Amino acid sequence: LRSNIADIISRAGFQPIHLNEINFQGMYEHRLMQAQQAAGEESEATDESKIILPH
């Protein structure tokens, strides 16, 4: 994708733009970890709020 954008920009006669690389795998893993932490916190909150009543 970066090379295609760079090619289009250079063919159009604009100044070159240097785009930083994007680590999609790292972004995915980070969001997955955040979702797991949020799910863990949510389950802890629901466990603490349960009230056990005697029968």
Side-chain angles (χ1 to χ4, degrees):
L1 180 61
R2 287 181 343 130
S3 64
N4 289 342
I5 292 173
D7 185 48
I8 292 169
I9 290 171
S10 66
R11 287 178 188 234
F14 295 108
Q15 293 290 325
I17 295 177
H18 301 286
L19 302 173
N20 292 330
E21 290 186 20
I22 299 173
N23 183 353
F24 290 104
Q25 180 69 29
M27 289 173 57
Y28 170 75
E29 290 173 358
H30 180 72
R31 296 231 176 155
L32 184 63
M33 183 177 58
Q34 285 179 332
Q36 289 173 344
Q37 288 175 348
E41 291 171 3
E42 184 177 301
S43 68
E44 287 176 6
T46 57
D47 289 344
E48 292 174 359
S49 65
K50 290 181 181 176
I51 300 174
I52 300 173
L53 299 174
H55 287 66

